[in-house]
Amino acid sequence: MPYVSNNTGNRGTIFTTGAIRYERVPGRSLRNHSGTAGVSSTVKSDAIKKLLRLGEVCRLNPDFIVHDIYNLMYIKRLYEMAYENLKSKPGNMTPGISPTTLDGFSAEVIEDIIKSLINESFQFKSGRTVQIPKPSGGSRPLTIAPPRDKIVQEVIRMILEVIFEPTFSTSSHGYRTGRGCHSALKEVYTKFGVASWYIEGDISKCFDSFDHGVLISILRSKIKDERFIRLIIKALKAGYFEFHKIKPSIVGTPQGTIISPILCNIYLNKLDRFIELLKEKFDVGTKPNPEWISYSNKKTRSKTIPDKVK
């Protein structure tokens, strides 16, 4: 029997085997059944359900305050999902200050990470900084974090994304799933056609100039779990290795790390909302010019005259 009371199966015979064929047991229906308790797919489903449930609550309640999310960092399947997200991207296989890569990642590593997170002894290591040439000239710093830190940061990113993604402005297109340059251009094409003038702005060294105090205060306004906040602070303070010296991070989020884009969006969302409020003040409308209305009416009537003559 597939299910008996609260147990899976009663250890009875489902089918008998012959030398070359299978025979159904009289009076019993044969069905393909396997217990899924503890199987990876079930754990994966539970982990995804928890994230989706959290995201749905945050979407339906924009002012919802999240509590006790640090426990999500104990779910092994989230680290497996994080590894799946990162392993196929060539840049994430680049080693940090140590020669190790994601190739050495295993279940034992996950267990060690979770143990260190439980007692809060986990520490992010300094990243390796390289200078990447910019198309317009000059260069920008790119921080390469150690493999273990990338996995932990990816788990943090997934959690932050389901919490804050529903709160982001619809006009924001950078570093968001399903959005990018093409969606931004489409919005410009469909909504900006009647605009007579535009304002272009650029934030110099965006990732490098974030104030840690402001960023943490924004996170605390939505997340009431100091253990999770302390973990993010550790990531921000990890620093970087440059010119054979480890330099601490005082401001900014190191460009190139996994959580920098989501932290950037969380930080700049305040700017997006501020600009939207300014837009509402300017979009008050003006009274149409009476002469324009008169000529418009004459134009409309002139089109209907031939029909009336007929």
Side-chain angles (χ1 to χ4, degrees), residues 6-249:
N6 293 327
N7 297 319
T8 303
N10 65 348
R11 297 186 182 275
T13 302
I14 296 180
F15 57 84
T16 58
T17 60
I20 57 174
R21 61 192 178 93
Y22 294 95
E23 298 176 351
R24 293 180 182 271
V25 177
R28 301 292 181 101
S29 61
L30 178 65
R31 63 182 293 187
N32 184 12
H33 177 78
S34 62
T36 55
V39 177
S40 177
S41 60
T42 304
V43 178
K44 175 182 178 181
S45 177
D46 291 342
I48 293 176
K49 283 181 179 178
K50 288 182 179 180
L51 287 180
L52 291 178
R53 187 160 56 245
L54 177 60
E56 185 67 9
V57 171
C58 293
R59 185 184 66 83
L60 297 176
N61 304 278
D63 298 326
F64 180 75
I65 305 300
V66 182
H67 296 267
D68 301 326
I69 60 170
Y70 189 74
N71 292 335
L72 293 175
M73 300 297 299
Y74 303 158
I75 301 177
K76 295 181 180 180
R77 182 56 196 169
L78 289 184
Y79 295 88
E80 296 175 7
M81 293 166 60
Y83 175 77
E84 292 292 330
N85 292 341
L86 299 178
K87 70 175 184 179
S88 59
K89 300 178 181 178
N92 291 324
M93 295 300 292
T94 306
I97 58 176
S98 62
T100 58
T101 65
L102 288 178
D103 289 334
F105 199 72
S106 62
E108 290 75 15
V109 174
I110 295 177
E111 292 177 1
D112 291 340
I113 290 174
I114 293 177
K115 287 178 182 178
S116 62
L117 287 170
I118 291 174
N119 58 30
E120 294 192 65
S121 63
F122 181 88
Q123 296 292 335
F124 291 94
K125 295 181 180 179
S126 301
R128 179 169 63 90
T129 300
V130 295
Q131 297 295 327
I132 304 298
K134 299 171 66 175
S136 58
S139 61
R140 63 180 177 87
L142 183 69
T143 303
I144 302 173
R148 182 191 64 163
D149 292 5
K150 290 180 180 180
I151 297 295
V152 177
Q153 287 191 21
E154 174 64 11
V155 175
I156 295 175
R157 185 203 64 77
M158 290 191 293
I159 296 173
L160 288 176
E161 186 176 60
V162 298
I163 295 173
F164 285 95
E165 177 67 26
T167 68
F168 291 156
S169 169
T170 55
S171 300
S172 173
H173 296 269
Y175 308 114
R176 296 180 64 184
T177 303
R179 292 171 176 259
C181 296
H182 289 85
S183 60
L185 289 172
K186 182 179 180 180
E187 183 168 356
V188 170
Y189 179 77
T190 56
K191 295 183 179 180
F192 291 15
V194 296
S196 56
W197 51 276
Y198 304 83
I199 298 177
E200 180 184 1
D202 187 17
I203 301 176
S204 177
K205 297 183 178 179
C206 178
F207 284 89
D208 302 333
S209 57
F210 289 154
D211 185 294
H212 287 177
V214 174
L215 177 59
I216 295 303
S217 67
I218 295 174
L219 293 173
R220 283 193 173 121
S221 67
K222 187 75 173 175
I223 300 174
K224 301 300 181 183
D225 190 331
E226 283 302 308
R227 292 184 302 169
F228 191 77
I229 297 295
R230 285 196 294 269
L231 183 63
I232 295 178
I233 293 175
K234 288 180 180 180
L236 292 174
K237 301 292 185 182
Y240 55 95
F241 189 79
E242 188 177 29
F243 302 120
H244 306 288
K245 291 183 180 180
I246 295 179
K247 300 181 179 181
S249 298

